[in-house]
Amino acid sequence: RHTIITSSQAKNDQYGNFPEVPPNANGFSVRLGNADVFSLAESISYDYVIPANTQTFSISYQYAVVLQNPGHAFYDQPRFKANVINLTDNTVIDCVSFDFTASSSLPGFKVSSFDPSVLYKDWTPVILDLAVYAGKTIRLEFITSDCVLEAHFGYAYIDVSPSCSGTFNGNIICQGDKTVT
């Protein structure tokens, strides 16, 4: 239930109509899970050792999520979790970890025009400044799960930047900006 998708084979997602590979990325994504229903869960993780003497270190990724919303109890609903874990100290870095559980009040989610029981969130970029974790091992962990009652689905697309140069490179400067770091 992990599918690697390349730009050349990508289509638009059936429920959200967004591209399966983000348009401004490296040409690949992984779909974690699918629209099948069997009360399954999937995960994928990436481990990084942050260089010990670094003053700057950032990792960027993008995600898109599709969750069917059957209106079950919170703990039975489909969900998507993204965790950033400091493996060296065995702690979750809370400020950059999140958990989306299907509900009509999810911020940033839209109702699918294909199926109104489905919520989706189009590609969303995340930049993690991990310089304060110099010398530590960090894990990016992504988890999807279907509803516990075996009748509704949840899946996500993930694109982690292959650049581990220590800094985040960008080329967009907003009008009126006076400085760039």
Side-chain angles (χ1 to χ4, degrees):
R1 298 174 313 263
H2 301 73
T3 305
I4 304 295
I5 303 169
T6 65
S7 292
S8 63
Q9 65 188 170
K11 300 175 273 186
N12 281 355
D13 180 81
Q14 171 181 347
Y15 296 97
N17 199 35
F18 53 82
E20 293 177 320
V21 174
N24 57 344
N26 63 34
F28 296 90
S29 70
V30 61
R31 185 180 62 234
L32 187 59
N34 53 43
D36 294 339
V37 294
F38 299 111
S39 187
L40 300 174
E42 304 82 18
S43 70
I44 190 168
S45 63
Y46 302 83
D47 291 357
Y48 296 88
V49 176
I50 311 300
N53 297 321
T54 190
Q55 298 297 312
T56 59
F57 192 91
S58 298
I59 295 172
S60 65
Y61 68 89
Q62 297 183 69
Y63 68 92
V65 183
V66 178
L67 300 171
Q68 196 168 24
N69 182 20
H72 297 322
F74 177 79
Y75 47 83
D76 290 333
Q77 293 279 76
R79 69 189 327 158
F80 169 65
K81 292 178 73 171
N83 294 316
V84 182
I85 304 164
N86 175 346
L87 293 176
T88 304
D89 299 333
N90 196 29
T91 57
V92 174
I93 304 171
D94 288 326
C95 65
V96 292
S97 297
F98 52 85
D99 184 350
F100 294 124
T101 302
S103 113
S104 60
S105 63
L106 276 175
F109 280 72
K110 298 177 184 173
V111 175
S112 169
S113 60
F114 181 77
D115 179 345
S117 75
V118 175
L119 305 169
Y120 72 93
K121 187 172 187 179
D122 200 342
W123 286 105
T124 304
V126 176
I127 301 169
L128 306 173
D129 179 0
L130 299 173
V132 298
Y133 298 97
K136 301 195 183 254
T137 301
I138 301 298
R139 172 173 291 160
L140 299 181
E141 175 183 65
F142 304 98
I143 304 166
T144 59
S145 59
D146 299 333
C147 96
V148 175
L149 305 175
E150 300 184 10
H152 304 96
F153 62 84
Y155 63 91
Y157 299 90
I158 297 140
D159 173 46
V160 177
S161 174
S163 174
C164 294
S165 64
T167 59
F168 177 75
N169 296 318
N171 62 355
I172 298 174
I173 300 173
C174 297
Q175 185 175 352
D177 284 350
K178 305 259 188 262
T179 63
V180 175
T181 303

Tab-separated table of all heavy atoms in Angstrom, residues 3 8 10 16 19 25 36 49 52 70 93 95 106 110 114 116 118 120 124 128 140 142 144 146 149 156-157 165:
chain	number	residue	atom	x	y	z
A	3	THR	N	2.816	3.372	-2.877
A	3	THR	CA	2.969	3.459	-4.319
A	3	THR	C	3.843	4.650	-4.659
A	3	THR	O	3.509	5.786	-4.304
A	3	THR	CB	1.582	3.625	-5.000
A	3	THR	OG1	0.736	2.551	-4.585
A	3	THR	CG2	1.720	3.631	-6.510
A	8	SER	N	5.811	11.407	-14.832
A	8	SER	CA	5.357	10.899	-16.135
A	8	SER	C	4.132	9.997	-16.025
A	8	SER	O	3.368	9.885	-16.979
A	8	SER	CB	6.497	10.170	-16.847
A	8	SER	OG	6.898	9.044	-16.095
A	10	ALA	N	1.883	10.271	-13.329
A	10	ALA	CA	0.922	10.893	-12.411
A	10	ALA	C	-0.342	11.334	-13.136
A	10	ALA	O	-0.306	11.780	-14.277
A	10	ALA	CB	1.558	12.083	-11.709
A	16	GLY	N	-9.771	14.684	-4.938
A	16	GLY	CA	-9.400	16.088	-4.772
A	16	GLY	C	-9.046	16.800	-6.060
A	16	GLY	O	-8.876	18.014	-6.074
A	19	PRO	N	-2.870	17.219	-8.557
A	19	PRO	CA	-1.913	16.282	-9.153
A	19	PRO	C	-1.323	15.331	-8.109
A	19	PRO	O	-1.091	15.724	-6.966
A	19	PRO	CB	-0.837	17.185	-9.752
A	19	PRO	CG	-0.997	18.497	-9.079
A	19	PRO	CD	-2.417	18.606	-8.618
A	25	ALA	N	8.093	20.276	-7.390
A	25	ALA	CA	8.914	19.408	-6.548
A	25	ALA	C	9.904	18.623	-7.401
A	25	ALA	O	10.232	19.009	-8.503
A	25	ALA	CB	8.011	18.484	-5.747
A	36	ASP	N	-9.094	1.719	-0.821
A	36	ASP	CA	-9.696	0.461	-0.379
A	36	ASP	C	-10.013	0.566	1.112
A	36	ASP	O	-9.414	1.365	1.824
A	36	ASP	CB	-8.731	-0.713	-0.608
A	36	ASP	CG	-8.476	-0.971	-2.088
A	36	ASP	OD1	-9.304	-0.544	-2.919
A	36	ASP	OD2	-7.454	-1.598	-2.395
A	49	VAL	N	20.502	12.201	10.167
A	49	VAL	CA	21.443	12.599	11.211
A	49	VAL	C	21.795	14.049	10.911
A	49	VAL	O	22.339	14.355	9.848
A	49	VAL	CB	22.705	11.713	11.230
A	49	VAL	CG1	23.689	12.234	12.261
A	49	VAL	CG2	22.340	10.268	11.496
A	52	ALA	N	26.701	17.529	13.295
A	52	ALA	CA	26.973	18.011	14.655
A	52	ALA	C	27.353	19.487	14.721
A	52	ALA	O	27.003	20.168	15.674
A	52	ALA	CB	28.071	17.167	15.294
A	70	PRO	N	-16.975	9.337	7.576
A	70	PRO	CA	-18.239	8.648	7.815
A	70	PRO	C	-19.005	9.155	9.032
A	70	PRO	O	-20.142	8.744	9.259
A	70	PRO	CB	-17.801	7.197	8.030
A	70	PRO	CG	-16.426	7.311	8.592
A	70	PRO	CD	-15.817	8.515	7.922
A	93	ILE	N	8.803	15.874	18.542
A	93	ILE	CA	8.921	17.326	18.425
A	93	ILE	C	7.516	17.840	18.107
A	93	ILE	O	7.076	17.840	16.958
A	93	ILE	CB	9.950	17.715	17.347
A	93	ILE	CG1	11.300	17.069	17.661
A	93	ILE	CG2	10.075	19.230	17.249
A	93	ILE	CD1	12.339	17.186	16.566
A	95	CYS	N	5.797	20.722	18.060
A	95	CYS	CA	5.402	21.905	17.289
A	95	CYS	C	5.393	21.656	15.784
A	95	CYS	O	4.818	22.438	15.040
A	95	CYS	CB	6.285	23.093	17.632
A	95	CYS	SG	8.010	22.865	17.162
A	106	LEU	N	-12.133	20.070	9.943
A	106	LEU	CA	-10.684	20.060	9.719
A	106	LEU	C	-10.249	21.345	9.015
A	106	LEU	O	-10.742	21.651	7.935
A	106	LEU	CB	-10.284	18.864	8.861
A	106	LEU	CG	-10.080	17.544	9.566
A	106	LEU	CD1	-9.812	16.433	8.559
A	106	LEU	CD2	-8.950	17.628	10.564
A	110	LYS	N	-11.138	20.497	2.139
A	110	LYS	CA	-12.289	20.800	1.297
A	110	LYS	C	-13.101	19.530	1.090
A	110	LYS	O	-12.576	18.428	1.205
A	110	LYS	CB	-11.830	21.336	-0.054
A	110	LYS	CG	-11.047	22.628	0.047
A	110	LYS	CD	-10.555	23.060	-1.324
A	110	LYS	CE	-9.690	24.313	-1.202
A	110	LYS	NZ	-9.078	24.664	-2.476
A	114	PHE	N	-16.393	14.962	-6.157
A	114	PHE	CA	-16.638	13.611	-6.672
A	114	PHE	C	-17.478	12.788	-5.697
A	114	PHE	O	-18.326	12.017	-6.095
A	114	PHE	CB	-15.292	12.918	-6.952
A	114	PHE	CG	-15.412	11.536	-7.500
A	114	PHE	CD1	-15.735	11.330	-8.825
A	114	PHE	CD2	-15.194	10.431	-6.686
A	114	PHE	CE1	-15.845	10.048	-9.346
A	114	PHE	CE2	-15.304	9.144	-7.186
A	114	PHE	CZ	-15.632	8.955	-8.528
A	116	PRO	N	-19.151	13.633	-1.766
A	116	PRO	CA	-19.250	14.571	-0.638
A	116	PRO	C	-18.923	13.973	0.736
A	116	PRO	O	-18.807	14.706	1.707
A	116	PRO	CB	-20.697	15.066	-0.693
A	116	PRO	CG	-21.428	14.099	-1.550
A	116	PRO	CD	-20.425	13.425	-2.432
A	118	VAL	N	-16.114	12.643	1.259
A	118	VAL	CA	-14.646	12.654	1.273
A	118	VAL	C	-14.137	14.087	1.434
A	118	VAL	O	-14.599	15.010	0.765
A	118	VAL	CB	-14.084	12.027	-0.026
A	118	VAL	CG1	-12.567	12.146	-0.073
A	118	VAL	CG2	-14.510	10.567	-0.128
A	120	TYR	N	-10.522	16.474	1.478
A	120	TYR	CA	-9.152	16.415	0.977
A	120	TYR	C	-8.432	17.724	1.283
A	120	TYR	O	-9.049	18.768	1.476
A	120	TYR	CB	-9.121	16.123	-0.529
A	120	TYR	CG	-9.579	17.272	-1.386
A	120	TYR	CD1	-8.667	18.201	-1.900
A	120	TYR	CD2	-10.926	17.459	-1.672
A	120	TYR	CE1	-9.100	19.260	-2.666
A	120	TYR	CE2	-11.356	18.512	-2.442
A	120	TYR	CZ	-10.432	19.414	-2.938
A	120	TYR	OH	-10.851	20.471	-3.699
A	124	THR	N	0.487	20.687	0.436
A	124	THR	CA	0.826	21.666	1.460
A	124	THR	C	2.305	21.528	1.807
A	124	THR	O	2.751	20.449	2.186
A	124	THR	CB	-0.025	21.421	2.729
A	124	THR	OG1	-1.405	21.461	2.361
A	124	THR	CG2	0.270	22.448	3.798
A	128	LEU	N	10.980	22.392	7.945
A	128	LEU	CA	11.380	22.129	9.325
A	128	LEU	C	12.777	22.690	9.561
A	128	LEU	O	13.734	22.265	8.911
A	128	LEU	CB	11.396	20.625	9.598
A	128	LEU	CG	10.127	19.853	9.289
A	128	LEU	CD1	10.363	18.364	9.457
A	128	LEU	CD2	9.005	20.322	10.176
A	140	LEU	N	11.350	11.572	10.270
A	140	LEU	CA	10.063	12.023	9.748
A	140	LEU	C	9.229	10.770	9.571
A	140	LEU	O	9.651	9.833	8.900
A	140	LEU	CB	10.211	12.701	8.392
A	140	LEU	CG	11.058	13.948	8.285
A	140	LEU	CD1	11.038	14.452	6.845
A	140	LEU	CD2	10.546	15.014	9.220
A	142	PHE	N	5.289	9.274	8.645
A	142	PHE	CA	3.965	9.554	8.108
A	142	PHE	C	3.120	8.294	8.239
A	142	PHE	O	3.575	7.205	7.894
A	142	PHE	CB	4.061	9.975	6.643
A	142	PHE	CG	4.969	11.157	6.431
A	142	PHE	CD1	6.275	10.975	6.021
A	142	PHE	CD2	4.514	12.444	6.662
A	142	PHE	CE1	7.127	12.051	5.834
A	142	PHE	CE2	5.362	13.530	6.479
A	142	PHE	CZ	6.668	13.338	6.060
A	144	THR	N	-0.965	6.660	7.731
A	144	THR	CA	-2.372	6.773	7.331
A	144	THR	C	-3.116	5.577	7.900
A	144	THR	O	-2.531	4.511	8.107
A	144	THR	CB	-2.547	6.787	5.801
A	144	THR	OG1	-2.008	5.594	5.242
A	144	THR	CG2	-1.880	7.998	5.185
A	146	ASP	N	-7.250	3.641	7.807
A	146	ASP	CA	-8.658	3.585	7.449
A	146	ASP	C	-9.485	3.639	8.731
A	146	ASP	O	-8.946	3.571	9.832
A	146	ASP	CB	-8.970	2.280	6.710
A	146	ASP	CG	-8.199	2.127	5.420
A	146	ASP	OD1	-7.825	3.149	4.819
A	146	ASP	OD2	-7.973	0.973	5.006
A	149	LEU	N	-13.775	0.569	11.709
A	149	LEU	CA	-14.925	-0.295	11.445
A	149	LEU	C	-14.883	-0.940	10.054
A	149	LEU	O	-15.855	-1.550	9.626
A	149	LEU	CB	-16.220	0.496	11.645
A	149	LEU	CG	-16.348	1.156	13.022
A	149	LEU	CD1	-17.586	2.013	13.103
A	149	LEU	CD2	-16.327	0.116	14.117
A	156	ALA	N	-2.686	9.366	1.816
A	156	ALA	CA	-1.961	10.627	1.662
A	156	ALA	C	-0.876	10.473	0.611
A	156	ALA	O	-0.421	9.365	0.311
A	156	ALA	CB	-1.335	11.040	2.998
A	157	TYR	N	-0.469	11.596	0.069
A	157	TYR	CA	0.677	11.677	-0.837
A	157	TYR	C	1.765	12.453	-0.102
A	157	TYR	O	1.473	13.449	0.573
A	157	TYR	CB	0.315	12.439	-2.113
A	157	TYR	CG	-0.785	11.807	-2.929
A	157	TYR	CD1	-2.117	12.137	-2.711
A	157	TYR	CD2	-0.487	10.896	-3.936
A	157	TYR	CE1	-3.127	11.578	-3.470
A	157	TYR	CE2	-1.488	10.329	-4.710
A	157	TYR	CZ	-2.813	10.681	-4.470
A	157	TYR	OH	-3.805	10.120	-5.230
A	165	SER	N	21.326	19.552	2.080
A	165	SER	CA	22.513	20.397	2.124
A	165	SER	C	22.613	21.216	3.398
A	165	SER	O	23.616	21.866	3.624
A	165	SER	CB	22.521	21.348	0.919
A	165	SER	OG	21.417	22.230	1.002
